[in-house]
């Protein structure tokens, strides 16, 4: 009998599996695909490597949950610090998001002059600095008693940030700036969207400040592609079943049967790294199915459209760009592209003289459901994005040696999910409405960006920390 069966090797699954193994528990990690990392993985196509979704790594610094977990596992990643973290290009205005707040302020003041910038951005900086200093909270909604305990554990955070928690971000910003021009608002919206996954009008100011201040933390490029991080993180796990989808999980009295096409494993506990929106398909037990159904309403159908390119170029590119235009791209939810380049010297990732490029934009899963128009829309949007990226960053079409696109359907085919970016923590979907890492079902746990705390490395890792607490390990 194994102690923990972990289904899925995304940030959440890989980290908790490595931690449990390091603690001496008999742990088995299952991954559907041959490569690890899910939305943060690296895959190979036409002989070139690409990061699937995530390209920026944040939170590897003292006091942050990512470093705390890696230290507990005994894993030290190989990283290259990036500063600026992102270069934002918006109507020919170039704004580097430097880690140093004063350096960043010089750029923002030059591009979008305003007397309030100094006060506003120092406040954003301070909120980010002090947020990660508050520790000790715990979140469970597996019972009413646990709900009450969670609320108490959140009191220090709620008291410290009370004036931002219940204030709508858009109202707060408009009130602070008074006369805000549309162009600067678009800059703020685009920055918030990539981290919070929701627009300013739907979130509180604490969430907005954490999103806007993301780049004041240390940010990193991962050499060799993101999957190298997962390979290192999970290196010591003895039973790591790649290319092994879990097909069914059967609840017995005091354990679970975890079924793949080849074997059935008995496990005392199951940790799912699958989304809350599709995990019901793994079970037949009506109580478990009903549990998942209760969270169906959190599915915002938000997702990503991706363009992957390998280009041959001697030019120097930053690691990450955000390209903002005035109008929303057709078949998407956004006017901003996030563009990432491999490091010029990273020949483990892209051949010498080449760059691996990942471009993403927010879309809605429902735009891609119609089989008749699917291919036309995909081709249209792919070509639009190629044109924008080439025009803005000065890349010639003949420098592109490989290119293809992916839609929410592509994500579903490979990593079993079409909703991406997890649960946006909006004013409507705030604690205690979010699913916690434990469930009312004995021995069944969850981790990943559709449960507490949120998406991305820092968000998912706060969930891993919480999972440790609710499992008492
Ligand atoms: C386009 C894009 C860009 C992003 N950029 C960034 C970024 O730059 N920085 C950042 O921090 N975050 C970024 N994010 C967010 C971040 O990538 C995700 O929040 C995070 O990777 C989700 O991790 P997770 O633990 O939820 O697992 P997931 O990534 O959802 O992985 C789940 C894993 O489970 C596997 N699986 C599913 N079903 C089964 C089954 N039945 N059996 C076995 N295995 C199964 C899947 O194959 C997958 O590998 C980005 C996300 C996207 C989509």
């Amino acid at each position: 009998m194994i102690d923990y069966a972990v289904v899925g090797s995304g940030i959440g699954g890989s980290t908790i599996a490595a931690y449990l193994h390091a603690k001496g528990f008999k742990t088995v990690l299952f991954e559907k695909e041959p490569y690890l990392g899910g939305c943060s993985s690296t895959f190979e196509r036409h002989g070139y490597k690409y990061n699937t979704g995530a390209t920026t790594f944040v939170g590897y610094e003292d006091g942050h949950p990512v470093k705390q977990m890696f230290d507990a596992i005994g894993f030290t990643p190989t990283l290259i610090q990036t500063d600026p973290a992102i270069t934002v290009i918006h109507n020919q205005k170039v704004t580097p998001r430097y880690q140093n707040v004063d350096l960043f302020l010089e750029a923002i003041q030059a591009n979008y002059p305003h007397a309030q910038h100094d006060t506003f951005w120092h406040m954003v900086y301070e909120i980010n600095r002090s947020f990660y200093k508050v520790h000790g909270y715990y979140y469970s909604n597996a019972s009413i008693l646990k709900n009450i305990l969670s609320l108490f554990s959140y009191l220090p955070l709620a008291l410290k940030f009370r004036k931002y928690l219940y204030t709508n971000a858009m109202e707060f910003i408009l009130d602070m700036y008074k006369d805000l021009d549309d162009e600067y608002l678009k800059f703020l919206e685009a920055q918030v969207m990539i981290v919070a996954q929701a627009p300013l009008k739907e979130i509180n100011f604490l969430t907005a400040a954490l999103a806007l201040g993301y780049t004041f933390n240390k940010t990193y490029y991962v050499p060799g592609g993101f999957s190298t991080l997962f390979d290192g993180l999970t290196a010591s796990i003895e039973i790591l079943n790649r290319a092994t989808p879990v097909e069914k999980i059967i609840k017995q009295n005091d354990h679970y049967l975890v079924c793949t096409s080849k074997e059935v494993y008995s496990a005392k506990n199951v940790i799912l790294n699958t989304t809350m929106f599709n995990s019901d398909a793994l079970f037949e037990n009506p109580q478990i199915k009903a549990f998942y159904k209760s969270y169906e309403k959190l599915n915002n159908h938000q997702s990503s459209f991706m363009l992957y390119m390998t280009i041959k170029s001697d030019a120097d590119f930053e690691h990450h760009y955000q390209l903002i235009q005035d109008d929303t791209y057709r078949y998407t939810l956004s006017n901003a592209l996030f563009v990432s380049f491999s490091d010029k010297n990273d020949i483990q990732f892209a051949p010498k003289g080449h760059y691996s490029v990942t471009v993403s934009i927010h879309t809605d899963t429902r735009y891609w459901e119609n089989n008749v128009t699917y291919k036309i829309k995909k081709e249209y949007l792919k070509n639009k994005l190629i044109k924008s990226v080439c025009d803005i960053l000065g890349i010639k079409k003949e420098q592109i040696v490989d290119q293809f696109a992916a839609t929410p359907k592509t994500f579903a085919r490979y990593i079993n999910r079409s909703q991406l970016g997890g649960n946006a923590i909006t004013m409507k979907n705030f604690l205690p409405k979010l699913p916690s890492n434990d469930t009312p079902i004995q021995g069944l746990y969850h981790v990943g960006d559709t449960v507490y705390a949120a998406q991305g490395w820092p968000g998912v890792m706060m969930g891993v920390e919480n999972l440790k607490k609710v499992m008492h390990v």
Side-chain angles (χ1 to χ4, degrees):
M1 174 90 72
I2 53 181
D3 294 314
Y4 291 94
V6 182
V7 182
S9 73
I11 296 173
S14 291
T15 309
I16 196 66
Y19 175 80
L20 290 167
H21 177 77
K23 282 272 164 186
F25 292 103
K26 195 169 179 199
T27 307
V28 180
L29 175 59
F30 299 89
E31 170 51 52
K32 176 181 172 291
E33 289 301 308
Y35 48 83
L36 308 180
C39 295
S40 302
S41 57
T42 309
F43 65 94
E44 198 168 323
R45 189 158 174 202
H46 306 142
Y48 298 108
K49 287 183 183 168
Y50 300 95
N51 277 331
T52 305
T55 50
T56 61
F57 181 63
V58 72
Y60 193 70
E61 53 191 297
D62 288 335
H64 282 240
V66 176
K67 183 156 189 308
Q68 267 162 9
M69 278 310 303
F70 283 10
D71 288 350
I73 294 163
F75 170 59
T76 308
T78 305
L79 302 167
I80 297 173
Q81 202 180 335
T82 44
D83 195 13
I86 307 168
T87 299
V88 184
I89 306 183
H90 183 195
N91 297 339
Q92 275 91 44
K93 293 177 175 170
V94 179
T95 313
R97 293 289 329 248
Y98 292 117
Q99 193 191 349
N100 180 301
V101 62
D102 294 316
L103 216 53
F104 163 66
L105 269 168
E106 276 176 33
I108 199 104
Q109 201 59 269
N111 286 334
Y112 312 91
H114 202 291
Q116 276 303 326
H117 283 330
D118 206 57
T119 314
F120 179 77
W121 286 100
H122 275 109
M123 180 178 63
V124 166
Y125 176 83
E126 277 309 318
I127 291 174
N128 270 266
R129 219 180 46 88
S130 46
F131 178 80
Y132 291 102
K133 287 197 178 149
V134 185
H135 292 275
Y137 28 77
Y138 149 94
Y139 180 60
S140 167
N141 51 20
S143 69
I144 292 171
L145 180 66
K146 286 181 177 176
N147 245 183
I148 295 167
L149 288 175
S150 309
L151 286 176
F152 271 106
S153 84
Y154 262 88
L155 271 182
L157 189 90
L159 286 175
K160 195 169 179 124
F161 296 110
R162 63 190 175 281
K163 63 178 172 191
Y164 310 129
L165 263 176
Y166 305 103
T167 314
N168 175 276
M170 181 65 102
E171 285 169 20
F172 187 93
I173 290 170
L174 289 178
D175 188 47
M176 191 156 182
Y177 274 95
K178 310 285 186 236
D179 54 338
L180 200 65
D181 79 63
D182 194 45
E183 199 183 33
Y184 178 61
L185 194 57
K186 281 196 167 121
F187 172 89
L188 293 179
E189 280 285 17
Q191 298 277 289
V192 163
M193 196 64 198
I194 49 169
V195 182
Q197 305 295 317
L200 284 167
K201 63 178 185 323
E202 290 179 15
I203 59 179
N204 66 31
F205 186 68
L206 176 63
T207 307
L210 292 174
L212 288 169
Y214 170 79
T215 51
F216 297 137
N217 297 293
K218 283 187 183 161
T219 57
Y220 298 94
Y221 170 85
V222 181
F226 250 79
S227 277
T228 56
L229 201 65
F230 289 87
D231 294 339
L233 181 64
T234 58
S236 62
I237 301 177
E238 280 145 32
I239 319 177
L240 199 173
N241 293 325
R242 292 169 189 253
T244 309
V246 167
E247 293 177 346
K248 197 178 281 265
I249 302 173
I250 303 164
K251 181 161 173 25
Q252 308 288 49
N253 274 341
D254 59 351
H255 69 283
Y256 292 85
L257 299 177
V258 179
C259 312
T260 71
S261 64
K262 295 183 207 118
E263 255 178 279
V264 176
Y265 295 76
S266 297
K268 287 183 207 156
N269 302 284
V270 169
I271 302 173
L272 295 182
N273 190 205
T274 49
T275 71
M276 290 302 278
F277 317 127
N278 64 0
S279 297
D280 65 313
L282 290 169
F283 297 91
E284 266 156 26
N285 179 308
Q287 187 203 357
I288 301 180
K289 278 197 173 295
F291 167 72
Y292 289 115
K293 279 252 169 302
S294 70
Y295 284 111
E296 234 170 41
K297 58 184 175 300
L298 288 181
N299 187 351
N300 58 4
H301 304 281
Q302 208 157 276
S303 191
S304 300
F305 181 91
M306 308 294 302
L307 163 68
Y308 303 101
M309 296 194 288
T310 292
I311 62 163
K312 197 168 190 305
S313 170
D314 291 330
D316 289 318
F317 291 101
E318 297 288 345
H319 289 116
H320 308 289
Y321 295 91
Q322 188 174 46
L323 310 180
I324 309 175
Q325 65 164 32
D326 283 335
D327 301 320
T328 301
Y329 287 85
R330 208 165 160 198
Y331 312 129
T332 80
L333 300 168
S334 176
N335 60 336
L337 304 178
F338 197 82
V339 187
S340 296
F341 287 75
S342 57
D343 190 89
K344 195 171 189 173
N345 300 314
D346 189 359
I347 52 169
Q348 195 193 340
F349 195 15
K352 197 169 169 24
H354 293 70
Y355 287 95
S356 170
V357 185
T358 296
V359 183
S360 63
I361 185 163
H362 285 94
T363 188
D364 189 302
T365 54
R366 292 164 294 196
Y367 297 167
W368 304 95
E369 280 168 0
N370 184 329
N371 288 335
V372 180
T373 55
Y374 177 82
K375 272 196 177 156
I376 302 165
K377 288 180 182 172
K378 187 175 171 185
E379 198 58 19
Y380 166 86
L381 188 53
K382 183 187 79 171
N383 290 329
K384 264 281 189 232
L385 301 199
I386 291 176
K387 183 164 171 21
S388 288
V389 173
C390 287
D391 286 354
I392 298 169
L393 298 179
I395 299 166
K396 296 195 184 79
K397 291 269 167 65
E398 52 276 21
Q399 291 178 302
I400 303 173
V401 294
D402 187 36
Q403 46 89 351
F404 53 94
T407 70
K409 263 192 180 173
T410 325
F411 277 93
R413 191 160 78 240
Y414 288 98
I415 61 162
N416 227 1
R417 61 182 291 184
S418 54
Q419 194 276 359
L420 300 171
N423 288 334
I425 304 193
T426 63
M427 292 191 80
K428 269 198 220 147
N429 295 332
F430 203 54
L431 309 179
K433 289 187 186 157
L434 291 179
S436 57
N437 304 100
D438 51 356
T439 71
I441 301 126
Q442 180 73 25
L444 181 63
Y445 300 93
H446 266 275
V447 71
D449 64 12
T450 60
V451 288
Y452 175 90
Q455 68 111 30
W457 280 93
V460 175
M461 212 55 98
M462 280 173 73
V464 176
E465 284 276 5
N466 191 54
L467 179 59
K468 271 172 52 192
K469 286 185 192 155
V470 297
M471 294 195 310
H472 307 288
V473 289

